[in-house]
Amino acid sequence: MKELWQSRTSFVLASIGSAIGLGNIWRFPYVCYECGGGAFLIPFLVALLTAGIPLMVLEYSVGHKFSKPAPLALGNLKKGFEILGWFALLVGFGIATYYAVIMGWAFNYLGYSFNMAWGDNTQGFFFDQFLKISESPMQLGSVQWMIALGLVLTWIAIVAAIWKGAKTVGKVVYFTVIIPWFILLVFVARGVTLPGALEGLKYYLTPNFSALLNYRVWLHAYSQVFFSLTIGFGVQMTYASFLPRDSDVVNNAFLVSLADAATAFVGGFAVFSTLGYYANQTGLPVSEVVRSGPQLAFVTYPTIIRMLPFGSLVFGILFFLMLLTLGIDSAFSLVEAGAASLIEKFKWKRINVNIGFAIVAGLIGLIYTTRSGLYWLDIVDYFMNNFGLLVVGILMCVAVGWFYKHEEIREYANSKSDFTIGRWWDFSIKYLTPIVVGALFITNVVDRVKAAYGGYSRIAEFFGGWLVIIAFVVVAVILFKKKGRT
Ligand code: PHE
């Protein structure tokens, strides 16, 4: 029998948990700083209102209306769209394979934080001692066993969290959403009271309005919103399908989207105030010490943690605990959406699906635990987000806006909500979002025609990028063609 959310809070927290992830801490503040500081909030809010929230409403409404996981719900709009749903989930699966490895690093670093094993040279520690990074993607080198162990722990945690589907997820998210929020606030409080904090915050937020004239800044805003809200993966659609019949749609979409955006904004305070402190202590300008992604979390933060005037031990542990709890509910939302879809269509046993998923994804994930793992992670991440996710976003809008009665979806959403959305929603789904995201997609294609991603070789780009996308299309078609059981 299908498991439903036990309460509205469970659903809202699960959806927020999926949205709030590493991206809020290590991506948003950096993109904001790079794209005009405080001025970036304008394109960001525009993207949130014109594309993020409308798509969230779309995913919730379609999932709820048909009360089926993404591929089957989309298949109800028009048969062939089921392929789109499977493809979306596969992109999510691709992300889960490496997201779990990052969690595995965080598990290791949680251990290291007990004695700050990273020492003074955090850069050398992370790249040379921990990852033992090789020269290039094609030099795989051996699996690093401690990272693989972290990966195993992560998959055990994921499987435990989705053990009985929505029933367990609905309980786990109370912890995985509230704990990182709480820790984040601790870091904001700690950060802003450090010397130099103000200088860091100035870098974060001083508006540079001329950035708004650069179309790439706008594109960054849209891609950040998509990534951050976890839309375009079929996850939110699937989560909404577990809602009881009389649940609200529009309010929840606003609530979750705004909570995610607010967390990213607040995350910037934690990050930039501590970067200001770092600059202050080393005498370097803030612009020299800003980093994003793994560099920020595993190189810069460990250094700052060592520098803190007191409580390094506690802050170190808290920091990696925050990363783990932030990330894990994003990771398991991807897995749960995939698992629920397979179970619904093929009537496989949940326990088999859960464990099978973990084994397959864990084995694929071993690639990222080799010495060239970070390179592959980088390439796959870029392709999943810029080719997988964007394509799904566009096609979902096209599916509803052009091949279905979009008014019907809007009316459905409104019938379920105490405040209603107007025709602007139709406009956004039919024209605005597909056009803007289409432009984003085209700039990416042009960039890739000009040069391979990130300075890697074309061969590495092919294996980590194009081949993965092609494989996902093929698997999506197979899953679509394969007869389900009723
Ligand atoms: N929304 C997550 C974040 O902000 C990113 C994510 C997207 C994670 C999709 C998993 C899947 O970090």
Side-chain angles (χ1 to χ4, degrees):
M1 206 205 64
K2 192 160 102 181
E3 297 290 350
L4 296 179
W5 301 113
Q6 314 262 302
S7 68
R8 176 178 176 196
T9 319
S10 288
F11 164 69
V12 169
L13 285 178
S15 182
I16 290 181
S18 174
I20 299 180
L22 300 174
N24 298 62
I25 302 299
W26 80 19
R27 202 159 179 275
F28 174 82
Y30 184 80
V31 174
C32 185
Y33 156 84
E34 287 268 292
C35 294
F40 182 70
L41 296 177
I42 297 173
F44 184 75
L45 284 176
V46 169
L48 190 71
L49 292 173
T50 60
I53 295 178
L55 257 153
M56 190 68 97
V57 171
L58 184 157
E59 286 216 20
Y60 280 180
S61 310
V62 171
H64 192 239
K65 182 170 160 73
F66 301 108
S67 65
K68 288 192 185 133
L72 307 176
L74 288 168
N76 271 357
L77 295 177
K78 214 176 193 61
K79 188 110 187 57
F81 290 138
E82 187 186 325
I83 301 177
L84 176 63
W86 290 115
F87 179 74
L89 291 176
L90 283 158
V91 172
F93 170 80
I95 294 187
T97 61
Y98 65 80
Y99 219 76
V101 175
I102 300 174
M103 301 283 100
W105 297 345
F107 266 118
N108 275 279
Y109 267 70
L110 182 63
Y112 294 149
S113 54
F114 283 87
N115 59 353
M116 284 187 276
W118 47 75
D120 306 319
N121 179 2
T122 53
Q123 171 110 8
F125 183 83
F126 180 61
F127 290 106
D128 303 329
Q129 266 171 274
F130 182 63
L131 300 179
K132 296 215 171 47
I133 196 159
S134 63
E135 296 287 311
S136 75
M138 301 316 270
Q139 285 177 305
L140 276 187
S142 51
V143 165
Q144 301 301 303
W145 292 106
M146 286 311 285
I147 302 179
L149 183 66
L151 181 62
V152 171
L153 288 181
T154 306
W155 278 106
I156 293 175
I158 291 176
V159 169
I162 63 161
W163 193 245
K164 288 199 172 149
K167 196 166 158 193
T168 20
V169 168
K171 297 200 177 93
V172 172
V173 287
Y174 278 86
F175 298 93
T176 58
V177 173
I178 293 169
I179 293 173
W181 257 341
F182 175 75
I183 302 179
L184 185 62
L185 293 181
V186 170
F187 273 96
V188 173
R190 173 68 285 207
V192 298
T193 49
L194 286 167
L198 209 58
E199 196 54 30
L201 293 179
K202 259 195 226 153
Y203 268 87
Y204 173 37
L205 293 173
T206 305
N208 164 15
F209 287 103
S210 64
L212 302 187
L213 298 175
N214 182 346
Y215 75 98
R216 281 191 184 253
V217 164
W218 289 84
L219 298 183
H220 274 307
Y222 277 84
S223 69
Q224 175 59 24
V225 162
F226 267 66
F227 178 77
S228 190
L229 295 182
T230 321
I231 45 185
F233 295 96
V235 166
Q236 305 290 10
M237 197 178 280
T238 307
Y239 269 4
S241 77
F242 306 151
L243 279 168
R245 285 295 81 209
D246 56 353
S247 315
D248 167 275
V249 169
V250 180
N251 281 349
N252 285 345
F254 273 83
L255 183 65
V256 170
S257 307
L258 295 175
D260 178 67
T263 307
F265 184 62
V266 172
F269 282 80
V271 170
F272 274 84
S273 60
T274 26
L275 288 174
Y277 171 69
Y278 185 21
N280 174 287
Q281 297 293 299
T282 52
L284 294 164
V286 179
S287 57
E288 288 283 305
V289 299
V290 280
R291 293 285 180 282
S292 69
Q295 285 261 358
L296 175 73
F298 297 99
V299 176
T300 311
Y301 248 85
T303 311
I304 299 174
I305 285 164
R306 260 179 81 95
M307 280 180 184
L308 290 175
F310 62 89
S312 294
L313 175 69
V314 175
F315 286 112
I317 295 170
L318 281 181
F319 181 72
F320 291 105
L321 204 58
M322 177 174 80
L323 286 191
L324 283 169
T325 47
L326 266 179
I328 199 86
D329 43 11
S330 300
F332 69 61
S333 69
L334 299 169
V335 180
E336 172 56 23
S341 304
L342 292 172
I343 292 167
E344 175 95 18
K345 176 156 184 181
F346 301 113
K347 302 288 178 282
W348 291 337
K349 266 214 172 102
R350 175 165 277 276
I351 176 167
N352 297 345
V353 173
N354 285 352
I355 293 174
F357 217 116
I359 291 175
V360 174
L363 286 176
I364 295 176
L366 280 181
I367 296 173
Y368 313 109
T369 68
T370 63
R371 297 182 55 186
S372 62
L374 185 61
Y375 301 126
W376 291 110
L377 196 156
D378 186 29
I379 300 173
V380 176
D381 177 59
Y382 170 83
F383 273 83
M384 293 298 104
N385 287 305
N386 290 286
F387 289 94
L389 168 64
L390 296 187
V391 171
V392 177
I394 298 169
L395 292 180
M396 258 189 206
C397 289
V398 171
V400 171
W402 295 88
F403 289 91
Y404 195 76
K405 298 171 285 301
H406 47 86
E407 303 85 1
E408 199 176 282
I409 300 285
R410 172 165 47 84
E411 277 155 23
Y412 180 81
N414 285 340
S415 75
K416 293 283 164 196
S417 316
D418 11 289
F419 82 91
T420 55
I421 41 171
R423 288 186 187 282
W424 60 271
W425 181 83
D426 306 59
F427 177 77
S428 165
I429 295 295
K430 204 165 172 184
Y431 303 103
L432 191 74
T433 308
I435 290 174
V436 176
V437 180
L440 189 55
F441 178 74
I442 291 168
T443 49
N444 275 304
V445 172
V446 171
D447 287 349
R448 291 297 61 83
V449 170
K450 283 195 206 140
Y453 168 68
Y456 299 108
S457 66
R458 285 285 186 192
I459 257 254
E461 182 189 55
F462 174 75
F463 281 113
W466 303 116
L467 189 64
V468 179
I469 299 275
I470 295 167
F472 283 174
V473 173
V474 172
V475 177
V477 172
I478 294 175
L479 287 169
F480 166 66
K481 289 257 151 101
K482 191 167 152 61
K483 278 231 163 5
R485 281 213 268 149
T486 42

